[in-house]
Structure formats: structure tokens, C-alpha cells
Amino acid sequence: MTEIAAPTFDDLPVPLKLGSTFFSPAIEQVRKFAYAVEDETGWLVGDPTDALVHPLFLSTYMWWPSGFYLRAPGEIGHFGLFRQRHGHLVGTPFLHGKSSARFLRPFRLGRPIRADVAVTEKYRRRGRDFIVMRASFFDADGEALAVYDHGCAIRSEEVQRAATPSPSPVATSASELPPRRIEMSLEKSRLFSLPAENYHTHDRLAQAMGVRVAIPAATMSFAYLSRFAEDIFGAAWISRGSLDATFTRMLQRDDVLSVEGHRKAGATLALSIHNARREPVAVATARLLDLP
């Protein structure tokens, strides 16, 4: 019997449907992530008794089950769907490079959520293989909640070698909008990423990658950027918000961050997060979209 060779990255068909997965998030999970990024709303929307949750929470399902203490049978994250079928294409670590979101409406706790997941793009750049995964979320009635595009390097030759020196800091102008100061810590990173021990939660595991200390998840930056935009745009952000973010540098668990922004033409913000050395760790564009 002839053995069929596993497809290479070049052979990977795109677009590629990965299937659907279903979730039933609990309030404890929602609050855990929100409090890790200093959002005292707990990502609840409106009257807490309504149990409506900000669609920002759905960004956390990319790396499932990392960060979740509770998991129902059969639940699997978007990246897990890809890894089940094409695990031979995935190296360690796999790095999150970009995220884009379109928020449509909050969802109600206690009702199942469906995510339809597909690989929409692949490319190779500077020795790294990238894919873009799209997750379209729907509630139990089939109403659209949010659409996420996550770009990540699934295999990277560079991270397996010694880390290269960081480039010189980029000169930036002062924030037009009042900046927000964030003090990162290992405790916050662990709250966001446990129960699985990994390079987000443990210095030793991060040092095995060639970095100094634990690396908080990039989706923490995404949450900080979303909250900054919501503070400017108000409640409309929950159902008309669009956020496109690029993670330009790894976070470090002892970073002191500054979340900053400038207004652009129309209902658009240019956002960024800088560390204490004024190195940008994330840049983003936030928009308030017109209703159809």
C-alpha cells in the first residue's frame, strides 16, 4: 500500500474551510479575561442582569483552551481546528502577528455560540510561513456577532535561532488623545493565559525560546486597543466597531505600556501601544462604521 505524503505548506489549498465549533462561555471566563486587562466592566454590556457580553471576548477563542478553566466536551479553538488537520505544518512557537475584528452585537450568556472557521490566506515572509484564519461568530438564532481575522506565523526558522537585537526605537509624536498607562506583570499574563503553562505564563519556558521573560499574549494588546477606542466612540463601538491591529514587537511581562491615539478623517482613530523605551509593540486603526 502506497503511503500518501502529507501536504506541504505550498500545497495547502486556500481558501480552506476548517469547519464549525461551538462554545458556551461562562461568566467566570468572561470576567477572568476582562480583569486581566484591567477592564472593570468585566466585558459585560449594559445592565449586568441582562448577561450581555462584549463581542471582544470572542477574540480569546483563537488559542483555545489557553486561558480557560472550563471547557465543554468537543470545544476547540480556531487554531486547534487547523492543527488537528495540518499539525505537521506547525512549528513551536507559533506567533500571532495581526488581528482584525468587526463587532456586530453583544451575545447573551447561557446560549451556545457557533464559530465558522476557514483559512483565507497564506504567505511566506522572511523565513516564516503565515496563515490568516477567519472566524465568523453567530448566536443560537443565527444572528452574526463578530468577524475576526487572525494572522499568525505557524512555522518560523528565525525564532529557532538566537534572538536578534531589537531595532532602534522609532521616534513618535505625543498622543493627541489622553494616553493610558498600563503596567504589565506576570500575574496579569498568567490570569489571561492559564491554566496551560506556556511562554505566556512562565519565565523559564519563555527563556527556552531565547527571550528574557514571559511574553504576554498579543490579544492582551488587542483588548487594550479596543477599550481605548470604546472610550472615544462610546457604546456604538460594541455594534459598529472595526479594529485592525498589527503586533510589531513581543510584549514582556514587566513592560510599562502607553496606549495612545490620534483622530483621523471621519470616525477613524490611529492607535498605538509603546513600551517604556518608546518602541511600538502594536499599531492599529479603529473605525466606527456606518450602519447598512
Side-chain angles (χ1 to χ4, degrees):
M1 184 175 178
T2 303
E3 183 176 345
I4 300 174
T8 66
F9 182 77
D10 291 333
D11 295 332
L12 188 70
V14 174
L16 172 65
K17 290 184 178 181
L18 297 176
S20 298
T21 186
F22 296 83
F23 307 102
S24 296
I27 184 61
E28 295 83 1
Q29 295 170 344
V30 175
R31 286 175 171 160
K32 174 180 178 292
F33 283 95
Y35 294 161
V37 293
E38 304 176 30
D39 196 324
E40 296 181 358
T41 68
W43 286 350
L44 295 179
V45 175
D47 188 336
T49 61
D50 292 334
L52 292 175
V53 179
H54 199 302
L56 171 64
F57 172 75
L58 301 173
S59 69
T60 60
Y61 281 104
M62 179 188 180
W63 300 118
W64 177 273
S66 180
F68 290 80
Y69 289 127
L70 305 173
R71 182 174 61 149
E75 290 186 338
I76 186 171
H78 316 148
F79 195 77
L81 285 175
F82 178 80
R83 201 169 190 176
Q84 276 186 342
R85 293 166 56 178
H86 302 286
H88 64 286
L89 298 179
V90 180
T92 302
F94 28 85
L95 302 176
H96 195 172
K98 295 182 179 181
S99 277
S100 298
R102 170 71 170 92
F103 302 137
L104 300 171
R105 58 177 48 82
F107 66 91
R108 190 177 301 278
L109 288 169
R111 307 192 70 203
I113 294 169
R114 183 185 91 241
D116 297 339
V117 186
V119 177
T120 60
E121 186 180 353
K122 69 173 182 179
Y123 56 94
R124 183 172 287 118
R125 183 174 298 163
R126 294 190 297 275
R128 294 176 175 174
D129 295 340
F130 290 83
I131 60 170
V132 178
M133 289 181 297
R134 173 165 297 171
S136 302
F137 287 90
F138 302 88
D139 65 14
D141 298 321
E143 296 287 344
L145 303 173
V147 179
Y148 281 89
D149 287 315
H150 294 294
C152 57
I154 59 173
R155 185 185 298 272
S156 175
E157 297 176 0
E158 293 183 14
V159 297
Q160 296 171 9
R161 298 195 296 264
T164 56
S166 298
S168 300
V170 177
T172 57
S173 58
S175 179
E176 173 191 327
L177 300 168
R180 184 181 180 196
R181 187 174 187 267
I182 303 291
E183 293 185 9
M184 293 299 302
S185 68
L186 185 59
E187 290 74 19
K188 291 176 185 176
S189 185
R190 290 175 66 84
L191 181 61
F192 198 88
S193 298
L194 284 172
E197 290 283 2
N198 52 45
Y199 49 84
H200 298 318
T201 65
H202 203 294
D203 287 348
R204 177 179 56 80
L205 297 177
Q207 289 161 2
M209 290 171 43
V211 296
R212 185 176 63 86
V213 293
I215 304 165
T219 39
M220 296 185 75
S221 289
F222 197 76
Y224 291 131
L225 291 164
S226 177
R227 183 67 204 189
F228 192 95
E230 186 174 351
D231 288 343
I232 304 301
F233 290 136
W237 177 250
I238 298 166
S239 58
R240 294 169 50 202
S242 172
L243 181 63
D244 300 299
T246 299
F247 310 117
T248 56
R249 185 175 273 99
M250 291 182 183
L251 292 173
Q252 296 185 3
R253 53 97 158 165
D254 50 3
D255 274 339
V256 177
L257 306 175
S258 179
V259 189
E260 305 175 1
H262 297 262
R263 294 185 184 273
K264 300 178 70 175
T268 302
L269 304 175
L271 305 180
S272 61
I273 302 179
H274 291 79
N275 60 26
R277 298 174 296 281
R278 293 303 296 170
E279 297 167 334
V281 299
V283 294
T285 299
R287 297 181 177 88
L288 201 59
L289 303 177
D290 294 332
L291 293 174

